[in-house]
Amino acid sequence: MTGPGPAVRAVLRQRRPDPACWDAVVDAVCTEGPSYGAEQVLVQAGAAVARHADRIARDLRRQQGLFGTAVGHGVAARALALVGAGDRLAEHGGLPYNRPEARVMAGLPPAELTAVMLTKLRRDGDGHHGKTTTLDLLALCGAAAAPATADRLAAYATTRDPVARRPRARRAAWAHWKVTGDPTLALDVCGAAVRSGTASHGLPFLSDLGPLAAVHAEAVRRLMESPGAWTRTYAAYAYWRITGDPKPAVPVLLAEVDPAWDGDPALPVREAVRILGEIGAPAVSVAPLLRRILAQEERLGRPWDGVRILADQAYVRTLTEALEGIDGWGK
């Protein structure tokens, strides 16, 4: 094998590449003139380059000595390969950016955290991700945030708050339930979205409410025939969570599991697999198909090279966990 190109292409395309390909990638990165493609895949390597950890660490120290605190892409590739940042990259679809990590921040004292989050809710300048993370964080704080935030969340959920926007009203109503324990507002706001037949964004929140959302079960079931694949998938999940009846949901979800899926994020294939695994034994009919997909040699073709390996590994984990949930496979 000459040059890093063939090795890079092999690890990008094959789920089980020859270990020598990963050796060639490390060789390419730990040189004076590394390949950008090799750096992209090294970031995603994880355990595949564990045997080279000492070499990568030595080269990282050398690069830091050359460049000081200036971190170029090659230095970042070495650092990320060592710290195992794969899960974070897969979750966010790229290198992490400056956005609050809700589950990390939830460990801070609720009184201090709630004051900060209230300030963020009042600001109009925060973008979509900032507001969404704020609402998620308040939901994680739960009852500890109730005295200070319940009224503000209610105003946000009903768009009485002048900086509120309709797509976040459902999330605010859901957070209000988590904070106060009262599902009334969440059922009203999220249920209204679902009953409209066009706003499927209320479905994940009704799923979380489960049997509390029984009054909306028929509206949810009708959405299982929606022309939108994501709406059908979330409607099937919500109907099962609300009613406990998997029979109508499983065929809808099974129809979304395409063995030829290339990773296109417009299609809810991975989410359908995850839900089938959560349903468990009643979804046993899908198990042979999931095994065939898991046995495929080719990685997903999407997204871009910088996260392709991580995306494929995430899909493999989802398939494996689904099979474990359905019939205990792999245990």
Side-chain angles (χ1 to χ4, degrees):
M1 185 179 295
T2 58
V8 169
R9 289 193 292 273
V11 299
L12 278 172
R13 295 174 181 174
Q14 300 170 19
R15 283 184 177 164
R16 290 165 281 275
D18 187 324
C21 295
W22 281 115
D23 296 343
V25 167
V26 174
D27 285 340
V29 172
C30 296
T31 61
E32 294 296 332
S35 157
Y36 178 72
E39 291 168 353
Q40 277 193 317
V41 297
L42 182 64
V43 171
Q44 305 171 71
V49 296
R51 62 189 178 281
H52 296 294
D54 289 343
R55 181 184 181 188
I56 295 170
R58 286 195 302 272
D59 193 66
L60 174 61
R61 288 192 292 271
R62 180 182 67 82
Q63 290 289 320
Q64 289 174 326
L66 290 174
F67 297 106
T69 58
V71 180
H73 191 276
V75 178
R78 294 161 178 78
L80 290 170
L82 288 173
V83 302
D87 288 341
R88 294 183 68 196
L89 288 167
E91 182 69 21
H92 296 299
L95 291 173
Y97 57 95
N98 291 327
R99 167 186 170 188
E101 298 287 347
R103 293 190 180 278
V104 174
M105 292 183 69
L108 297 174
E112 298 175 16
L113 193 56
T114 298
V116 173
M117 294 301 104
L118 272 171
T119 300
K120 289 179 69 65
L121 278 181
R122 294 189 186 103
R123 284 209 310 252
D124 197 21
D126 281 353
H128 170 76
H129 291 301
K131 283 291 195 297
T132 298
T133 303
T134 298
L135 294 170
D136 286 346
L137 184 53
L138 287 170
L140 287 169
C141 287
T149 64
D151 289 344
R152 174 64 61 178
L153 286 170
Y156 214 82
T158 56
T159 64
R160 295 197 310 271
D161 189 310
V163 302
R165 297 292 184 271
R166 181 61 63 183
R168 290 190 290 269
R170 294 178 283 273
R171 189 175 298 272
W174 168 77
H176 183 271
W177 166 52
K178 292 289 189 178
V179 164
T180 66
D182 182 356
T184 305
L185 185 59
L187 289 169
D188 181 44
V189 173
C190 299
V194 168
R195 288 195 305 275
S196 72
T198 58
S200 63
H201 298 289
L203 288 168
F205 304 120
L206 291 184
S207 298
D208 201 17
L209 285 156
L212 291 172
V215 69
H216 300 300
E218 284 308 309
V220 169
R221 183 162 185 165
R222 287 194 294 272
L223 287 176
M224 290 163 63
E225 299 176 0
S226 167
W230 280 98
T231 299
R232 292 193 301 271
T233 298
Y234 281 133
Y237 182 47
Y239 187 81
W240 170 65
R241 288 293 307 271
I242 290 168
T243 67
D245 181 5
K247 290 181 182 178
V250 169
V252 174
L253 296 164
L254 177 56
E256 301 303 329
V257 184
D258 181 2
W261 184 56
D262 67 352
D264 183 353
L267 301 174
V269 177
R270 183 182 168 196
E271 185 68 0
V273 171
R274 183 195 67 77
I275 294 168
L276 286 164
E278 189 174 334
I279 290 174
V284 69
S285 62
V286 77
L289 175 59
L290 299 187
R291 289 192 179 89
R292 289 199 301 274
I293 297 172
L294 196 55
Q296 291 173 353
E297 293 294 331
E298 290 289 317
R299 295 193 192 275
L300 298 175
R302 302 190 198 186
W304 56 94
D305 291 356
V307 293
R308 183 177 298 168
I309 296 171
L310 297 173
D312 185 73
Q313 289 173 341
Y315 188 38
V316 166
R317 285 196 302 274
T318 301
L319 290 161
T320 302
E321 291 167 1
L323 283 166
E324 290 173 353
I326 289 167
D327 62 6
W329 181 82
K331 292 184 177 179

